[in-house]
Amino acid sequence: MSELRFTVEHEWLRAESDGSVTVGITEFAQQALGDVVYVQLPELRAYAVGAEVSVVESVKAASSINMPLAGTVLEANLLLAEAPERANEAPLGEGWFFRFRPDDASAMADLLDQAAYDQLIANQG
Amino acid sequence: MVEVLKHTPLHALHLELGARMVPFAGYEMPVQYPLGVMKEHLHTRAQAGLFDVSHMGQVRLRGPQAAAALETLVPVDIVELPVGLQRYALFTGEQGGILDDLMVARLADDELLLVVNAACKDADLAHLQAHLAGQCGIEALFESRALLALQGPAAAAVLQRLAPQVGSMTFMQVATVVLGGQPCYVSRSGYSGEDGFEISLPASEAEAFARRLLAEPEVAMVGLGARDSLRLEAGLCLYGHDMGADTTPVEANLAWAISKVRRQGGAREGGFPGAQVIFDQQRSGAERKRVGLLPQERTPVREGAEITDAQGHVVGHVCSGGFGPTLGGPVAMGYVAAHLSAVGTPLYATVRGKQVPLLVAKMPFVTPRYHRG
């Protein structure tokens, strides 16, 4: 398991050993969203960077999950369709959203590392 | 321009309890506490939720003509409202639209207490002053009194510990009760579909009293988020969303609130703004109606979504929608063409470009547990 990378939209990314990247939402994001009641999962296809791949409906509102890097979605976490609350309970574990193959794996390095992300949320908190 | 938000007397307590504060109707209000909307909702249905609704407007009308005067603005029987009861009412406009909904409590023969919506309270006060000045005393209690709601199956047991006499009250009864040495107006009512009470008390006493209630093991503070999902499951209207100046009581499915004596053929027929429009609609039917809607998929269907028929023709819109924690699924209300308003009618809502199937459903969605005695 490699270290996590982050986006300013509060997604985390983890490079897997097979070259794919797993994406989820951060602890900060799940707290801000409130209770998640529905997750519209991505389709298994190519998306441009920034494209809306998923929608999270909380008790309060709907929020988009946008593609952190250009790539092709390989797998969506079907558990979230049945148990959307896992996104609140285990955002870094069972509540992951999807796994994709980035067009350019080196682009991961441009995303925030843990220290930079911690700084970001410290400023937002 | 920076809007300066007003605070209720419990503002400091909300912050101390870790509430997430949001602007609402000119006030900074708690949308949720650390428990979260879902658990706050379920706690209210299981035990007792305490709500700060001090942003709502309280107005006292006084004088021997107060009830008769108020009847000129609402299609409701106020003259024969017994002392110790409250009634749901609507301010109607000249076109039959709803200017606000309110509770009217008869505290004494010559004294009424009105509770109106926060967003409407200044306009309501101006409306009362414009039409009733000279007929009765009109006293706005906006700053001087707080309003707390204690809702849920444990509400009565909790409040009885502080004021034993509330145990004998039934739904919609009102009593003046001394709590903490101060006269409070307590009504057995609320906005959650549960048994419970609304307590009007001096602003200066509100925080101490809220802390006293929170010390009871059954009581948790509940924010506006869960207040909304609770009232939606109970099928209760939210002013400005589920009805407003552009909807009549008939369209809003609130014709039940028009008292028999004020209807066409009643002893005090009409005499409120828009009576003719409303009577005409009651006779010939409205073109659209507010209905309950149950989405048939898990995705919540929210306010503003278009409602279509199977052919894709727009036949209405969603006015309130979200997730019902007690139902365990999405729930909504909407306005639809009258011929599509029968329970069981299949319709669709457009959500992010997709058609989500809906069924017109009976309201309330969750069986109310009002204490009717």
Side-chain angles (χ1 to χ4, degrees):
Chain A
M1 201 162 92
S2 67
E3 66 170 274
L4 298 180
R5 293 279 169 172
F6 300 89
T7 69
V8 296
E9 293 177 324
H10 307 287
E11 296 153 310
W12 57 260
L13 295 85
R14 185 178 63 225
E16 308 295 352
S17 54
D18 64 356
S20 69
V21 173
T22 303
V23 181
I25 62 170
T26 65
E27 175 63 27
F28 179 89
Q30 75 81 12
Q31 280 206 15
L33 284 170
D35 302 301
V36 174
V37 296
Y38 173 77
V39 176
Q40 181 184 299
L41 292 167
E43 295 168 27
L44 305 187
R45 63 175 179 86
Y47 287 92
V49 62
E52 180 183 284
V53 286
S54 177
V55 176
V56 188
E57 295 265 9
S58 76
V59 283
K60 284 177 275 180
S63 310
S64 302
I65 302 293
N66 300 325
M67 196 67 171
L69 301 170
T72 303
V73 174
L74 304 172
E75 184 186 5
N77 184 4
L78 299 178
L79 176 65
L80 292 183
E82 288 309 308
E85 65 276 9
R86 300 303 286 151
N88 293 117
E89 295 161 358
L92 298 167
E94 264 186 11
W96 60 280
F97 274 62
F98 63 95
R99 202 163 59 75
F100 76 109
R101 184 175 60 241
D103 293 348
D104 173 8
S106 70
M108 279 282 277
D110 300 332
L111 299 175
L112 305 175
D113 62 13
Q114 185 79 56
Y117 182 69
D118 288 348
Q119 187 63 47
L120 176 82
I121 57 175
N123 292 339
Q124 290 191 6
Chain B
M1 202 176 85
V2 177
E3 187 186 9
V4 179
L5 295 172
K6 286 179 276 196
H7 291 176
T8 74
L10 296 190
H11 189 264
L13 179 61
H14 298 317
L15 296 183
E16 181 186 314
L17 294 174
R20 186 178 301 169
M21 307 297 284
V22 296
F24 183 86
Y27 283 79
E28 189 172 87
M29 295 298 290
V31 67
Q32 66 170 79
Y33 299 86
L35 201 53
V37 174
M38 190 95 77
K39 292 199 178 97
E40 290 169 27
H41 177 117
L42 295 172
H43 182 89
T44 306
R45 295 243 187 271
Q47 299 195 56
L50 179 63
F51 303 73
D52 177 15
V53 287
S54 303
H55 57 313
M56 298 187 79
Q58 300 179 60
V59 181
R60 191 200 311 269
L61 301 185
R62 235 199 265 262
Q65 291 307 309
L70 184 59
E71 279 201 1
T72 65
L73 300 180
V74 300
V76 177
D77 177 8
I78 305 296
V79 167
E80 293 170 278
L81 176 63
V83 172
L85 268 189
Q86 73 174 12
R87 206 160 265 166
Y88 179 71
L90 307 161
F91 286 127
T92 51
E94 292 301 334
Q95 303 305 313
I98 301 169
L99 304 182
D100 197 5
D101 65 340
L102 66 153
M103 282 291 182
V104 180
R106 187 135 202 178
L107 299 179
D109 272 334
D110 61 351
E111 186 179 5
L112 300 169
L113 179 69
L114 279 46
V115 178
V116 304
N117 281 294
C120 301
K121 67 185 183 182
D122 293 326
D124 289 343
L125 182 60
H127 186 60
L128 289 166
Q129 285 165 337
H131 295 277
L132 306 190
Q135 300 175 65
C136 60
I138 304 164
E139 182 191 2
L141 309 172
F142 297 169
E143 306 300 327
S144 61
R145 291 192 86 80
L147 191 65
L148 302 182
L150 184 68
Q151 302 280 292
V158 167
L159 199 60
Q160 277 182 84
R161 286 174 210 147
L162 283 64
Q165 67 270 43
V166 302
S168 61
M169 294 172 71
T170 55
F171 185 56
M172 297 298 261
Q173 283 192 337
V174 187
T176 302
V177 172
V178 176
L179 291 165
Q182 297 288 330
C184 301
Y185 310 125
V186 175
S187 70
R188 196 153 192 169
S189 65
Y191 193 49
S192 65
E194 297 296 325
D195 181 24
F197 300 88
E198 290 193 346
I199 304 144
S200 162
L201 70 175
S204 57
E205 308 302 316
E207 186 178 324
F209 184 66
R211 287 184 191 276
R212 178 70 190 82
L213 288 175
L214 288 170
E216 300 299 318
E218 300 94 332
V219 181
M221 208 75 198
V222 176
L224 293 183
R227 182 169 160 84
D228 192 51
S229 54
L230 287 160
R231 70 89 195 166
L232 180 55
E233 284 185 340
L236 299 170
C237 282
L238 175 59
Y239 188 81
H241 299 260
D242 305 318
M243 80 294 200
D246 58 350
T247 46
T248 68
V250 183
E251 292 168 329
N253 217 352
L254 293 173
W256 58 267
I258 304 175
S259 302
K260 210 167 170 193
V261 293
R262 308 299 306 281
R263 294 182 193 191
Q264 200 151 38
R268 295 196 306 284
E269 164 185 323
F272 53 88
Q276 210 48 59
V277 177
I278 291 167
F279 290 160
D280 286 351
Q281 266 191 357
Q282 282 188 300
R283 230 181 4 258
S284 51
E287 284 177 21
R288 57 182 190 142
K289 263 185 111 171
R290 181 179 61 93
V291 295
L293 299 166
L294 282 176
Q296 299 298 296
E297 293 176 0
R298 288 189 68 128
T299 182
V301 169
R302 298 190 190 270
E303 180 177 358
E306 275 185 349
I307 298 173
T308 63
D309 60 14
Q311 287 73 44
H313 301 118
V314 176
V315 295
H317 73 278
V318 172
C319 50
S320 274
F323 185 83
T326 302
L327 282 176
V331 59
M333 293 181 195
Y335 277 84
V336 298
H339 70 281
L340 297 171
S341 64
V343 168
T345 305
L347 295 168
Y348 297 85
T350 309
V351 178
R352 295 184 287 275
K354 294 191 189 117
Q355 300 298 99
V356 175
L358 309 169
L359 286 179
V360 174
K362 197 168 93 43
M363 288 189 289
F365 301 102
V366 170
T367 307
R369 297 194 281 186
Y370 306 129
H371 181 71
R372 293 183 191 275

